[in-house]
Amino acid sequence: MASYGHGNSGGKVFRDNCVAGDYVKLSSVAVSIIDTPIFQRLRYLKQLGMTEFVYPGATHTRFAHSLGVAHRARELGARLRERQPELAASDRDLLLLEVAGLCHDLGHGPFSHAFETELVPKLLKEGEQWEHERMSCRLLDHIVATYRVDLSAEELARVKDLMLGELNYTDKADWAGREWMFDVVANKRNGLDVDKLDYLKRDNVACGELTTSEFSALYENMRVIRGEVCFRASVRSAVQDVYAARAKLHEWVYTHPVCKAVEYMCIDAMLLAAEELGIAAALHDPDRYALLDDTIIRDIERLTSKAPNVLRAQELLRRLRHRDIYKIVASVDVPQSRVLDFPKVTAADVLAHQDSAASGVLLQEDDVRIQSLRIDFTAQHRNPLEHVGMYINDEDEEPHYLEVPFAPGFFVTRQVRIFLTRLCDTPQEKERYQAAARAAFTRWKQQALPNVPVLSPQKSSLTASARKRRRTDSEHGATGGSSSAGATAAAGAAVVATAADSRAEADDEAEPPACSQSQPPAKKQLAL
C-alpha cells in the first residue's frame, strides 16, 4: 500500500482498492498515530486469522482495514455535514470520527476473535474481565501520551466513547446535538456502521466475491433525524443486504469448519506456551501486549525450552505445517423451534453416549471439542431493521421503522459441531477415533434432537500427498489395461484400483514421506 504526500497538511493518501475512488485520505493527526510501533503492529495481524488455510487470498491485515474504517468514518460524517448544515459538525468532529475508526481494532490479539473468545478466558483469574475494545482504548491512551498526538484530553475521551459505541469516558451532555456520531463507527443501536461496511467489502474481495458487498447507495441516501442516522426507505432492501451478507460470510468464511480447526490448533499451542511467553501478563501491560501478533506461532516454534508444554505446543504446530489438523467429524442444525432455548452442549454431554465396547476406543474429553455455533443478524433472533430508522421525504421529522420486502423468516441459526482433536499417528487410528466420535455424537443427537439429520462429511483422513500417490498408482494401473474393451476394462480398472490402494497402504507403512499421516511427521531442526 503506497503512500503519497497530501498537500501541506501533513496528511497522507493511501492506495486502497476496497474503498470508493481507490484512495484513502487521512489527516496529519491520523498519520501521527499510524507512524507508531503500536499501530504498525496491525500489519502483522491478519484480519481473518487462519482463514487463508481455506481461502488463500484472505491474507489482508487489520492495518488495511483500520485505514479503511477511518476513511469511511470521516467520509460519512462529511457527507452528512454537507447535506445537513444544521448539524453544525465541525472539522474536529470529523477528525474524532476518523481517529475512532482508525483505532477501533488496536486491541485485537493474534488470530483475530479466536484469541479473545478461546484463549483469554483460560488465562484470566477468577473475576477478571478483558475485552479487545477496552484494550484498544488503553493502547490509544499510550500512543497519545507517548507520541504527543494532537488530541486534547476531552477529545481523547470522546474518541474512546466513539470506539466503544457508548458513554464511558464522557457525559451525555457532552454530545448534545451530536448523538448521531455514535452510529458511525460502533453502532450499538442496530449494528450498521462503517466498520461493518469496510470488513464486508474487504473480506468478500479477498475470498472471491462470495456475496454482495457494494453498499454505496447507503451513503447517498442517509440523513440524521432525532440524533439517529437514518436511510431513505427506497434503499431498505440494501440495508437488509448488509445483514444478509454478514450472515453469509459468517457461514461460509468466518466459521468454516476447517478454519475453526486450524484456529483451535493455534490457540491450543498458544495456551500450552502461554506461561513461557508471558501472555497472561501481557493482557494487562500495553507495552508487552503491543508485541503480540500473528508471528507468535514462529516464536513458539523457535523456543529452546524443553518444558513438556512447550514441546507439546511445538508438536501441534509441526502437525499443522503438514496439514495434519483437527478433524470436523459431524454437525447438526438446531431446529428453529429450539434455537432460543437449546442449551449449550459440552464434550461430556456427547461422550456420555459413547459405546467403547463397540468402537474399541475410549474417548476422553480432551480428544474432542464441541462448537456451539450461532449466527444471527446482529440482533439476536429479531430483525435488526426494526431498529434502523427510515425516512420517506427529506422533510420528515421523525424516523419510520418499516418492514422490508423479501426479508427472511428467521434471523438466527444454530449448529452443534464436534471436532476430533486427538493427534493420531496412523490413518487407521484416526478413522477409528472418528468413527467412535461420530457414533457418540449420533446417539447424543437422537436423544437431544430426534428427527434431525446428522451432517457428517465422509472424507479421507489421509493427507493430500498420500491421496495423490494413490491416484497416481491407480492411473498407472488403468493405463496398462487400456487395451481391454467395454465391461472387461471397467472390471479390470476396479481390480487395479483395489490393488493400487493395497500397494499405497503398504508403501505408507514401509517408508512414509515427511507429510504422510501414516506415521508422525519427521522432526526437523530449525536453523537459527
Side-chain angles (χ1 to χ4, degrees), residues 8-122:
N8 297 318
S9 65
K12 283 189 178 180
V13 179
F14 297 82
R15 184 68 180 266
D16 188 345
N17 67 330
C18 287
V19 299
D22 292 340
Y23 288 96
V24 166
K25 300 178 181 180
L26 298 178
S27 67
S28 58
V29 174
V31 171
S32 69
I33 295 173
I34 293 170
D35 293 340
T36 63
I38 291 178
F39 192 90
Q40 291 294 316
R41 161 183 172 269
L42 298 182
R43 290 184 184 272
Y44 308 101
L45 290 178
K46 291 188 178 70
Q47 177 76 10
L48 296 183
M50 304 306 287
T51 300
E52 62 176 314
F53 273 70
V54 178
Y55 297 95
T59 58
H60 55 298
T61 65
R62 291 202 174 273
F63 181 88
H65 168 62
S66 296
L67 266 58
V69 176
H71 171 81
R72 291 173 188 269
R74 188 182 188 102
E75 183 72 11
L76 189 149
R79 293 197 182 198
L80 287 173
R81 180 174 70 172
E82 180 182 357
R83 291 173 189 153
Q84 296 178 267
E86 65 274 15
L87 294 177
S90 66
D91 289 343
R92 295 302 284 188
D93 288 332
L94 301 190
L95 174 66
L96 300 187
L97 287 174
E98 178 187 52
V99 174
L102 184 70
C103 300
H104 77 287
D105 272 353
L106 276 179
H108 266 295
F111 309 114
S112 195
H113 293 278
F115 178 84
E116 183 173 1
T117 59
E118 300 290 339
L119 178 64
V120 170
K122 298 174 183 177

Side-chain angles (χ1 to χ4, degrees), residues 282-296:
L283 295 176
H284 307 288
D285 184 342
D287 284 314
R288 296 179 65 181
Y289 187 81
L291 299 176
L292 291 179
D293 55 46
D294 290 353
T295 62
I296 193 172

Side-chain angles (χ1 to χ4, degrees), residues 179-236:
E179 298 85 354
W180 59 271
M181 294 175 67
F182 283 94
D183 291 350
V184 177
V185 176
N187 190 337
K188 295 296 179 67
R189 189 197 312 272
N190 52 49
L192 183 56
D193 49 45
V194 294
D195 175 30
K196 193 170 280 80
L197 295 179
D198 187 86
Y199 77 65
L200 289 177
K201 175 67 173 181
R202 207 169 294 276
D203 297 351
N204 191 40
V205 169
C207 295
E209 301 287 356
L210 300 176
T211 184
T212 301
S213 62
E214 179 52 58
F215 305 113
S216 58
L218 300 183
Y219 290 90
E220 303 298 330
N221 294 275
M222 61 182 179
R223 63 184 296 105
V224 175
I225 303 176
R226 297 288 184 181
E228 175 183 355
V229 177
C230 301
F231 299 90
R232 193 179 297 275
S234 60
V235 299
R236 63 189 186 275

